[in-house]
Amino acid sequence: MEGNGSIDMFSEVLENQFLQAAKLVESHLDSEIQKLDQIGEDELELLKEKRLAALRKAQQQKQEWLSKGHGEYREIASERDFFQEVKESEKVVCHFYRDTTFRCKILDRHLAILAKKHLETKFLKLNVEKAPFLCERLRIKVIPTLALLRDGKTQDYVVGFTDLGNTDDFTTDTLEWRLGCSDVINYR
């Protein structure tokens, strides 16, 4: 009998706690609704203007990126082009490749998709045979290698497919996650 009494008492305490929590949440929601009801026309107009200004700024930034070659995955011809392209953009992903390497073609396919999705980053590729000095300077020994650059400086590398699951069948999402870890794309 004592066991049932303590269970009933526990249930009653638990019920009271839930009731108090529900009242607290309801009170908070009521105060938020009251705040929204009191917003005047001037405040709504101010919020609308701020939002429109933010949208205009975002559109202007998008146009600037597109004018600098963002939004497409393209090949650059030389080391000189590499330095010029990196200087123009805050975030750059450069694929160091060789035509005869099968895995480079796999990476090309994924990078072309990501270039269209992440306009904030410039996606390039450079044939290692045309850039021996740069490959030596950046210590690129394994092909494919992605150099991940921010503000003109190399932040990180993705060497081969080790960081991508060590398989040829990795997904574009996996590569996107890896680039996001190095903060060269806005990954969510």
Side-chain angles (χ1 to χ4, degrees):
M1 281 302 245
E2 276 185 42
N4 286 341
S6 62
I7 291 175
D8 290 341
M9 188 170 79
F10 179 72
S11 295
E12 190 176 318
V13 169
L14 192 60
E15 186 177 317
N16 284 336
Q17 290 293 329
F18 280 131
L19 186 59
Q20 287 177 352
K23 285 181 180 178
L24 186 64
V25 169
E26 183 180 17
S27 171
H28 181 69
L29 286 174
D30 286 344
S31 68
E32 289 296 316
I33 290 171
Q34 188 176 11
K35 283 181 192 175
L36 290 173
D37 285 342
Q38 292 175 355
I39 290 180
E41 289 296 319
D42 292 340
E43 290 177 72
L44 282 175
E45 195 60 38
L46 184 62
L47 286 172
K48 182 179 174 184
E49 286 301 317
K50 283 182 180 178
R51 180 68 182 137
L52 284 173
L55 287 171
R56 277 190 217 102
K57 185 176 179 182
Q59 184 62 26
Q60 185 178 16
Q61 179 66 68
K62 181 180 176 182
Q63 291 303 319
E64 181 183 332
W65 284 331
L66 290 172
S67 72
K68 290 181 177 180
H70 292 231
E72 59 182 324
Y73 176 55
R74 60 192 169 81
E75 183 166 2
I76 51 177
S78 68
E79 294 169 335
R80 179 176 288 157
D81 292 341
F82 173 83
F83 290 111
Q84 184 60 41
E85 294 283 350
V86 167
K87 193 173 13 173
E88 285 179 3
S89 298
E90 178 187 350
K91 299 176 182 181
V92 177
V93 172
C94 187
H95 175 202
F96 288 86
Y97 79 100
R98 183 177 287 128
D99 285 326
T100 57
T101 306
F102 173 71
R103 285 185 159 183
C104 291
K105 291 173 180 49
I106 294 171
L107 210 47
D108 283 341
R109 190 184 58 206
H110 294 293
L111 291 171
I113 292 167
L114 291 175
K116 292 175 185 159
K117 184 176 179 182
H118 291 281
L119 297 180
E120 73 278 4
T121 303
K122 186 182 283 189
F123 287 82
L124 305 169
K125 69 187 226 177
L126 179 59
N127 190 328
V128 295
E129 294 167 353
K130 295 179 181 177
F133 168 76
L134 188 58
C135 289
E136 185 177 321
R137 185 172 170 196
L138 296 177
R139 295 186 203 102
I140 294 173
K141 306 231 184 287
V142 176
I143 302 300
T145 292
L146 296 179
L148 312 178
L149 302 106
R150 278 193 69 118
D151 299 317
K153 295 181 180 79
T154 306
Q155 294 294 109
D156 199 2
Y157 295 96
V158 177
V159 179
F161 288 178
T162 305
D163 292 351
L164 305 172
N166 230 4
T167 177
D168 292 351
D169 298 332
F170 67 90
T171 64
T172 303
D173 290 339
T174 302
L175 178 58
E176 183 177 28
W177 168 81
R178 177 59 183 86
L179 297 177
C181 288
S182 296
D183 202 29
V184 292
I185 60 169
N186 296 339
Y187 179 74
R188 290 184 192 89

